[in-house]
Amino acid sequence: MPYYKIAYSIAFVVILSAIQPVIYANEIGGAVERGASLLAVVFCADTYLMEVQSKRSEVFRLYHLKKQAGAVYKRLVVQAAYLIGISLLAYGLFYWQKPVNLTEELDGSALFGLYCIAIPGTILFWSVLSVTVSNLVRNRWIGMGIVLLFWFFSISAKATQLFGNWGPFSYGICDLHKLAEWNWLGGKMLCVVFAGIMLAFVPKILKKRG
């Protein structure tokens, strides 16, 4: 991973924790989820296109298709793992605001545990979507633009009404009193399923786009 990605991602989560106010600890997960998903879109858009931009694509295409796909998968795994890790860091940074627990049923450790279950699905979905769309249009800026349009729609009130607990931000829009009822889990599972489907098409996209 380029050092500049590490630098701007750390700066992003620090700034996010400074400018996004929270009163209750129950709000932290939703606040970080949106920010982390946005970071994932930008962070992963050039996962394969860096070969094109660095003019190594001619050499890369000489490899067997399985090896090409394997390289993309490895990069995605490393980047997704990093993004999950930095999302966990972002969650902790919000505690400088000294938020209070909304209910006695869920203390800080329980809320963090729920967040740890929810955030991997979010990161995986938006990371893979960014890579897939950017590869399809063969341009990371256009790819990011398309995905960001969907991102803005996903956080809108209309999308909340349309998708409900099955949307990509099911955890973030969940009633703060009902996080422990697991109503949001279906949306996170769908995120993982759709990410898996997109990953399955990586070899075909590479073969078509080169």
Side-chain angles (χ1 to χ4, degrees):
M1 267 190 315
Y3 290 118
Y4 74 86
K5 283 191 172 185
I6 297 175
Y8 77 64
S9 60
I10 293 175
F12 178 85
V13 298
V14 171
I15 294 172
L16 179 66
S17 67
I19 66 174
Q20 176 67 56
V22 295
I23 298 175
Y24 302 108
N26 307 55
E27 298 177 284
I28 298 176
V32 179
E33 183 187 38
R34 289 188 180 184
S37 63
L38 184 60
L39 178 62
V41 172
V42 177
F43 200 89
C44 296
D46 65 347
T47 298
Y48 167 63
L49 291 177
M50 64 176 64
E51 299 289 353
V52 178
Q53 294 157 359
S54 61
K55 299 181 180 180
R56 297 195 304 263
S57 59
E58 292 81 3
V59 177
F60 190 76
R61 283 198 294 266
L62 295 176
Y63 292 127
H64 190 277
L65 188 59
K66 287 185 177 180
K67 190 170 184 179
Q68 294 180 35
V72 174
Y73 290 145
K74 288 178 182 177
R75 290 175 187 172
L76 268 172
V77 168
V78 171
Q79 291 181 131
Y82 171 79
L83 288 168
I84 292 171
I86 204 165
S87 298
L88 300 181
L89 170 65
Y91 189 99
L93 290 175
F94 272 83
Y95 273 90
W96 76 266
Q97 299 186 36
K98 297 181 180 180
V100 298
N101 292 332
L102 184 61
T103 63
E104 296 181 358
E105 301 174 356
L106 292 173
D107 58 11
S109 59
L111 289 169
F112 182 66
L114 293 172
Y115 172 79
C116 289
I117 295 171
I119 199 63
T122 301
I123 294 297
L124 186 62
F125 174 76
W126 290 102
S127 297
V128 176
L129 182 62
S130 181
V131 172
T132 302
V133 176
S134 295
N135 285 356
L136 283 172
V137 300
R138 203 174 169 77
N139 185 297
R140 67 171 177 172
W141 299 109
I142 296 176
M144 279 193 290
I146 294 171
V147 177
L148 286 175
L149 286 176
F150 179 65
W151 184 88
F152 280 112
F153 171 73
S154 298
I155 63 174
S156 68
K158 187 173 182 180
T160 300
Q161 294 175 353
L162 181 63
F163 298 128
N165 292 326
W166 298 95
F169 291 110
S170 59
Y171 172 78
I173 66 170
C174 184
D175 189 306
L176 298 180
H177 294 86
K178 299 181 179 179
L179 288 173
E181 294 183 11
W182 302 94
N183 295 328
W184 49 267
L185 189 59
K188 296 298 103 180
M189 292 176 66
L190 274 183
C191 283
V192 175
V193 170
F194 281 124
I197 293 173
M198 288 186 285
L199 286 173
F201 278 95
V202 165
K204 293 185 178 181
I205 295 173
L206 291 177
K207 184 178 181 180
K208 182 177 181 180
R209 292 300 184 187

